[in-house]
Amino acid sequence: MKYDFCYYNPTKIYFGKTALDNLAGELKNYGETVLLVYGKSSIKKTGLYDKIVDILKESGKKVVELAGIKSNPTYKQMMEGARLVRENNVDLILAAGGGSVIDCAKGISVSAYCEEDPWKKYWVEFKPLDNKTVPVGSILTMAGTGSEMNGGSVITNEDEMLKNGRVFPPEVYPKFSILNPEYTYTVPKNQMVSGVFDTMSHLMEQYFSGDDDNVTDYIIEGVMENLIKSAEKALENQEDYEARSNIMWCATIGLNTITGLSKKQDWEVHMIEHQVGAYTDCPHGAGLAAVSPSYYRYIYKYGLDKFVRFAEKVWNVESSGMTKEETAEAGITKLAEFIEKLGLPLHLKELGATEEMLPLIAQSTIPGGGYKKLSAEDILNILKEAY
Ligand code: NZQ
Ligand code: ZN
């Protein structure tokens, strides 16, 4: 554990089939007015909306609603929520949905009492959070992002064609998150696999950095192993509780900072995907899948030993008689085969990207990288390879 760190995660997790039973108890900790934030239609179709509203009413809460949060939540929706918070003196923002709904709730929390333009202040200039926030709670219905136990909030500014992420301090993390794996049974298959690959990508973005002996890397390898196995089981039977509950917890662990401790981390695949998403509005995990093999083939030689370890430990590549390069490439091929097995795209054109978009995506991507620092030209090369 080469780099010093402080670990603090304030989110209380209620996990399992009876997790929602804890909502009433949590509500006692907050004032009268709750802003219920949710997506387009899923929680009404599944009946979860009625259950939540009943609990809120029985708890004596006044409920204000913000419905229709879209995948890749927008700045405009966030600002609408911020207005509702101010006008109604909201005491708790309760997000019921996937990562988009929870990210939007956190965005509302930091924006409601921000005296400047919050987009510019927090998502463009990355200034420190210094205004009052409103507590957020979450009821998760789709596994993948880890937003239920972290400070991340990814917002799309449609006018500026920018999708930017910001990690806020622990006061913005959900105070509590309710995780019932059964809620994820109704997630459409394309979204389920998108969430699985999002988690896989979070794990890889934290794993592919450093060459020291760090316990975090062993944790990541174990989580990856279980995620791959559970995803294959869930593909066969979407209602396999063991598989869906493992996927849900892998996703939470995958980005609640425990799998990033004492590591430098990469995150360039996410930076590229955010701009792919800004141009195509694709599901986040599908964008990550289309970029990942090309990205890793482009950079693996700069972190060769780690890519060999990935091939051998995560994908069980039998490497005797192979060079390190061959072993590393075999691991990336296994990753691409996993993407295919999930039914996710391996090419950007499958997501609606056009050749004309590629230079625009490359130029607007925040350059960075783990083993290799990328320029806009490198990013364009990767995009062309992924196209
Ligand atoms: O809108 P509704 O009707 O609810 O439908 C949603 C949406 O269409 C549907 N869905 C969710 N739960 C369902 C369900 N459908 C049926 N049954 C259920 N139980 O699934 C669709 C996708 O939902 P969304 O919330 O958009 O997906 P996800 O959880 O993948 O969130 C994606 C967003 O999170 C950001 C992404 O960039 C993207 O904007 N991320 C947030 C992160 C964070 N906070 O730490 C990190 C990630 O890397 C990621 O960037
Ligand atoms: Zn992600």
Side-chain angles (χ1 to χ4, degrees):
M1 302 299 272
K2 196 151 88 179
Y3 304 106
D4 297 358
F5 63 87
C6 166
Y7 180 64
Y8 172 58
N9 191 318
T11 305
K12 192 191 284 184
I13 297 286
Y14 295 105
F15 192 98
K17 295 179 184 178
T18 61
L20 191 64
D21 295 351
N22 299 287
L23 178 59
E26 281 298 328
L27 291 173
K28 289 184 186 142
N29 299 323
Y30 305 94
E32 191 193 8
T33 309
V34 176
L35 175 66
L36 178 61
V37 184
Y38 54 97
K40 290 203 166 150
S41 57
S42 72
I43 67 161
K44 288 207 168 157
K45 281 192 200 146
T46 60
L48 180 59
Y49 171 86
D50 291 333
K51 287 184 193 159
I52 295 170
V53 170
D54 284 351
I55 296 169
L56 287 166
K57 293 264 158 73
E58 281 160 19
S59 303
K61 301 294 177 187
K62 181 182 150 209
V63 184
V64 181
E65 295 196 16
L66 178 64
I69 302 303
K70 61 187 286 295
S71 284
N72 304 323
T74 65
Y75 170 59
K76 283 184 189 139
Q77 291 183 310
M78 178 180 91
M79 294 308 279
E80 170 62 7
R83 184 184 66 78
L84 290 172
V85 165
R86 281 190 306 273
E87 285 181 0
N88 297 283
N89 284 321
V90 165
D91 299 296
L92 172 72
I93 304 169
L94 184 60
S100 294
V101 172
I102 304 174
D103 279 15
C104 189
K106 292 180 208 165
I108 294 167
S109 166
V110 301
S111 300
Y113 299 106
C114 178
E115 286 174 4
E116 300 161 52
D117 171 14
W119 167 258
K120 188 160 172 266
K121 180 173 180 183
Y122 292 133
W123 281 268
V124 177
E125 295 176 350
F126 298 101
K127 287 190 178 159
L129 176 67
D130 58 5
N131 52 262
K132 179 182 154 185
T133 59
V134 182
V136 171
S138 92
I139 300 167
L140 184 67
T141 64
M142 154 153 184
T145 65
S147 185
E148 64 276 12
M149 202 178 182
N150 70 32
S153 173
V154 184
I155 301 295
T156 297
N157 187 319
E158 291 172 306
D159 295 338
E160 295 183 10
M161 293 294 277
L162 282 175
K163 178 175 169 181
N164 284 2
R166 167 72 196 257
V167 180
F168 288 103
E171 68 186 275
V172 183
Y173 287 36
K175 303 292 178 212
F176 62 90
S177 284
I178 289 171
L179 277 60
N180 180 343
E182 289 179 327
Y183 296 161
T184 67
Y185 290 169
T186 52
V187 173
K189 191 176 151 247
N190 72 320
Q191 291 290 351
M192 175 187 91
V193 293
S194 174
V196 166
F197 197 78
D198 188 18
T199 302
M200 187 69 189
S201 180
H202 296 160
L203 295 165
M204 291 191 292
E205 301 253 36
Q206 295 167 102
Y207 185 72
F208 289 124
S209 60
D211 52 10
D212 47 325
D213 187 30
N214 184 330
V215 67
T216 302
D217 286 329
Y218 295 82
I219 295 172
I220 294 175
E221 285 162 355
V223 180
M224 283 181 180
E225 190 188 334
N226 184 269
L227 179 70
I228 294 163
K229 194 170 83 181
S230 301
E232 286 171 358
K233 281 169 73 186
L235 277 177
E236 279 170 27
N237 173 11
Q238 290 208 197
E239 301 201 1
D240 181 329
Y241 184 81
E242 193 173 55
R244 297 310 286 260
S245 58
N246 279 331
I247 290 171
M248 197 170 214
W249 193 233
C250 285
T252 306
I253 295 174
L255 204 54
N256 72 352
T257 73
I258 201 99
T259 47
L261 292 180
S262 198
K263 295 196 55 84
K264 282 188 171 165
Q265 311 184 17
D266 183 332
W267 297 109
E268 194 56 24
V269 174
H270 269 68
M271 293 304 106
I272 299 173
E273 189 288 326
H274 283 176
Q275 279 317 95
V276 170
Y279 278 83
T280 66
D281 202 21
C282 65
H284 172 61
L288 295 167
V291 171
S292 291
S294 303
Y295 175 77
Y296 290 122
R297 284 194 183 106
Y298 199 82
I299 63 128
Y300 81 85
K301 288 189 179 145
Y302 301 89
L304 190 56
D305 287 345
K306 198 58 168 289
F307 280 89
V308 169
R309 178 171 160 176
F310 176 67
E312 291 174 342
K313 291 221 176 166
V314 179
W315 299 107
N316 302 315
V317 169
E318 188 41 75
S319 59
S320 56
M322 287 164 88
T323 63
K324 284 187 176 183
E325 284 78 5
E326 285 167 346
T327 306
E329 281 177 26
I332 299 169
T333 300
K334 290 273 189 191
L335 175 69
E337 285 168 7
F338 178 59
I339 292 170
E340 269 190 305
K341 200 182 275 182
L342 293 176
L344 283 165
L346 278 165
H347 299 105
L348 290 169
K349 60 181 163 231
E350 297 171 60
L351 296 170
T354 62
E355 271 183 90
E356 293 70 42
M357 284 179 190
L358 303 186
L360 300 171
I361 293 170
Q363 278 149 24
S364 57
T365 294
I366 298 171
Y371 289 123
K372 177 173 166 52
K373 298 289 164 228
L374 298 187
S375 64
E377 196 188 335
D378 289 319
I379 295 169
L380 184 57
N381 290 337
I382 291 163
L383 288 168
K384 283 182 180 164
E385 201 53 50
Y387 184 67

